[in-house]
Amino acid sequence: MAHDGAMGLKIGVLGLGAWGGTLARLFSDQGHAVQGWTRSRGGDPAAVLQGQDLVLVAVAMAGVRDLAVRLGPLWPADLPLVSCSKGIDLEQRCTPAQLWARSNPAIPRLVLSGPNLAAELAQGLPAASVLASDHGPLARQLQHALSSERLRLYTNGDPTGTEVAGALKNVMAVAAGVCDGLGLGANAKASLLCRALVEMGLVIGELGGEPGSLYGLAGLGDLLATANSPLSRNYRYGLLLAEGVPSAVAIARIGATVEGATTAAAVTALARERGWHLPISAEVLGLIEGTAEPRQAVRRLMERDLKEEGLPVLQGAAASALAAGSSEAGANTAGRPS
């Protein structure tokens, strides 16, 4: 990425929904030149790739595969792609950045994730995110170019763990909404979220991510935000499921994509294929499909066999980074925040 650091970047944004539109405005306010594309307005998304310093992809998970197939072969050499989508593709059983890698392995890919409720950022409230990539120098360059008082960026070297954490926390936020919707109290919710971390850690590890990413901004950080805020679509969706509202009706009421619904189906399919035990994800899917009743689902979770707690363990650099507080947990510790 050739760029004169004294000037703003030229940034393309594919997808101008709640998240993509917020990022576009945020970076425009910083002085970057932003060009956007959204499916609803039509036009050729390939035009957004020309002459940019980087491109953010913020389309809903359901639209990533088709866009990657269409644009991957056309992607300019050395043009960084920052994936801002969250989820797991049900058909390909992979993350958004992995879909782009399958279409064009040469694309320099980064993942942007964290506790980023779009409505709060749009109001000017501060937030932090992580830029995860195998390309450490590029991640650090973009960290300095894109950070501001409103959005502080950290880096890490675990894009897989970062993406999986960002996807799975949406499923757990749905479960948290159900718990609150049933009025089960703080003790039950705290217990639920602790066990949610165990499920998230299992999937991160099985898919090749670093356990420490579970405790970073894209994992615990994003889970805390989305599992407790009515601004979270996944949390509000869980509240409606707790009332007995059918999934399709709940999504229509929210009026936007609820990534936790499709991610629950994808991760549960993976669990069946690979023999993983993901009780919370399975119960959430049952609620979505109408095969479970909210109170019965919670009762089944509370009545599971007694066993050791089995929390994911931080190891090596991840544990040192968390203890020192000097970089994003689970990070490649060479990439430190400014």
Side-chain angles (χ1 to χ4, degrees):
M1 184 184 72
H3 172 67
D4 180 354
M7 301 174 62
L9 296 174
K10 295 179 180 178
I11 302 175
V13 181
L14 298 172
L16 296 174
W19 183 220
T22 297
L23 288 173
R25 290 187 294 273
L26 176 67
F27 294 136
S28 179
D29 290 345
Q30 286 179 237
H32 301 296
V34 177
Q35 179 183 357
W37 171 87
T38 182
R39 190 181 308 275
S40 62
R41 298 179 189 172
D44 183 5
V48 178
L49 307 183
Q50 304 307 313
Q52 307 294 353
D53 292 309
L54 74 151
V55 172
L56 308 178
V57 181
V59 297
M61 186 67 214
V64 173
R65 190 189 332 137
D66 289 344
L67 200 61
V69 169
R70 179 176 177 182
L71 297 184
L74 306 176
W75 205 269
D78 300 324
L79 175 63
L81 182 157
V82 180
S83 178
C84 307
S85 308
K86 294 180 181 179
I88 297 175
D89 184 79
L90 180 57
E91 181 178 308
Q92 299 292 323
R93 308 285 203 266
C94 66
T95 66
Q98 289 169 347
L99 285 173
W100 285 100
R102 293 182 182 189
S103 71
N104 184 344
I107 299 174
R109 298 176 306 280
L110 305 95
V111 172
L112 177 66
S113 192
N116 304 136
L117 295 168
E120 288 194 356
L121 268 172
Q123 295 168 18
L125 299 176
S129 288
V130 60
L131 272 174
S133 180
D134 295 324
H135 304 272
L138 174 61
R140 290 188 290 276
Q141 183 181 358
L142 291 178
Q143 172 192 30
H144 287 280
L146 299 177
S147 288
S148 67
E149 292 182 356
R150 291 169 60 186
L151 182 63
R152 179 177 173 85
L153 294 178
Y154 291 74
T155 62
N156 79 33
D158 182 27
T160 297
T162 297
E163 279 200 299
V164 174
L168 266 291
K169 62 86 191 176
N170 283 330
V171 180
M172 304 311 164
V174 174
V178 172
C179 185
D180 282 352
L182 293 175
L184 299 181
N187 288 333
K189 186 175 181 180
S191 302
L192 173 71
L193 293 181
C194 281
R195 300 313 299 170
L197 287 173
V198 174
E199 286 196 23
M200 291 168 64
L202 185 155
V203 180
I204 288 171
E206 290 288 344
L207 293 181
E210 295 293 332
S213 292
L214 175 66
Y215 301 100
L217 289 166
L220 180 60
D222 208 355
L223 179 64
L224 290 174
T226 55
N228 292 290
S229 174
L231 294 175
S232 164
R233 289 170 286 179
N234 294 282
Y235 176 79
R236 297 201 310 273
Y237 175 70
L239 292 175
L240 291 171
L241 292 180
E243 296 176 10
V245 177
S247 174
V249 176
I251 292 173
R253 287 189 188 178
I254 292 170
T257 302
V258 179
E259 296 288 12
T262 52
T263 302
V267 74
T268 303
L270 271 170
R272 286 195 294 264
E273 293 170 1
R274 305 191 185 190
W276 305 339
H277 186 52
L278 306 178
I280 298 175
S281 299
E283 292 294 354
V284 168
L285 183 62
L287 293 174
I288 292 168
E289 294 180 339
T291 60
E293 189 273 336
R295 290 193 179 276
Q296 292 176 346
V298 173
R299 186 178 300 114
R300 281 192 292 271
L301 289 173
M302 298 301 290
E303 292 176 352
R304 293 175 58 241
D305 293 341
L306 302 178
K307 59 181 181 180
E308 290 187 1
E309 190 173 18
L311 292 173
V313 177
L314 286 174
Q315 298 176 341
S320 299
L322 185 63
S326 60
S327 67
E328 169 70 4
N332 175 347
T333 52
R336 298 185 183 277
S338 59

